[in-house]
Amino acid sequence: MKKYSIILTAFLLAVSLVVHAQTADTPRTEQRLTLSGGPILESNLSGFFHSGVDGGDCQMRAGVSAGGFLDLGIRPTFSVQGTLLFHIKRSDFEWDGQTGEFRYVGAEFAVHALYHFHLRSGTQFIVGLGPYTEFGFDATLKRNGVKSNLYEKDTDTGLPILRDSNTGFAVKVGYELACGLQLNATYKASVTNLLDANSSTVKMHPHAVSVGVAYRFGK
């Protein structure tokens, strides 16, 4: 629960600071900023780019993501959006002829710079890019009926198999109806090597594709 509180507090504080800074420098009569937000529900496919694993293969599997966003409209065609999502991700990883089922539970905080293409019908296309950081709460690998905690530290090295956080970049495209309902697709790739133990020889970078719906209040 402590991680949840820290992430949520940081998310709300960041948005509050941006709003305060913008409104402090802009006369009330010229105020153009808008603040909107709403819930998000997505399905995701996740896996790993990997190297240094002989005969290794990763298969993406389906998971689910849910959360919300706050969107700071700076211009009619440009906004900055902060997103907080909670994930359940799954994938299969094979090496040495054996397959293990990877399961991950965590949260993600992302910031996107969004460009809005407005159409005459009141709808709009949205394209965005920005960084994200994930914080893992639980990561397990189940192989031959045995489940291993990948965040548990090794008694000899003092290192866990996986790091519990990673950072990367995301590309987002969407279509918003006049009522505020959105259809979105996002691709994310991490620049962080998720492995902690053996990180000098083996590289594993998580990536994911997600599609889902959102609803924007405060249009």
Side-chain angles (χ1 to χ4, degrees), residues 2-150:
K2 185 177 181 181
K3 282 187 177 180
Y4 286 86
S5 300
I6 293 174
I7 297 169
L8 182 59
T9 300
F11 176 57
L12 295 175
L13 180 60
V15 173
S16 298
L17 289 175
V18 172
V19 174
H20 176 75
Q22 293 286 345
T23 55
D25 296 333
T26 306
R28 185 177 300 273
T29 58
E30 299 180 6
Q31 182 58 258
R32 295 184 178 181
L33 296 180
T34 61
L35 188 62
S36 59
I40 302 173
L41 181 62
E42 298 179 336
S43 175
N44 65 64
L45 288 172
S46 61
F48 298 93
F49 295 121
H50 58 86
S51 61
V53 182
D54 293 334
D57 185 36
C58 181
Q59 300 293 329
M60 303 174 75
R61 295 184 61 185
V64 64
S65 305
F69 70 93
L70 287 176
D71 189 275
L72 179 65
I74 299 173
R75 302 283 185 190
T77 57
F78 179 76
S79 68
V80 177
Q81 185 175 104
T83 304
L84 177 63
L85 291 173
F86 297 95
H87 300 299
I88 297 177
K89 295 181 178 181
R90 301 188 304 157
S91 58
D92 290 333
F93 196 78
E94 181 180 351
W95 71 101
D96 295 333
Q98 298 185 15
T99 300
E101 180 184 349
F102 175 77
R103 184 177 182 272
Y104 166 90
V105 179
E108 170 196 311
F109 175 61
V111 177
H112 296 94
L114 301 179
Y115 191 84
H116 303 257
F117 299 87
H118 294 273
L119 306 177
R120 290 184 178 179
S121 60
T123 62
Q124 57 179 296
F125 286 103
I126 302 169
V127 179
L129 174 69
Y132 73 90
T133 297
E134 284 189 326
F135 302 90
F137 304 136
D138 182 65
T140 59
L141 181 67
K142 186 176 182 180
R143 187 172 61 169
N144 296 328
V146 179
K147 184 180 293 187
S148 302
N149 180 5
L150 301 182

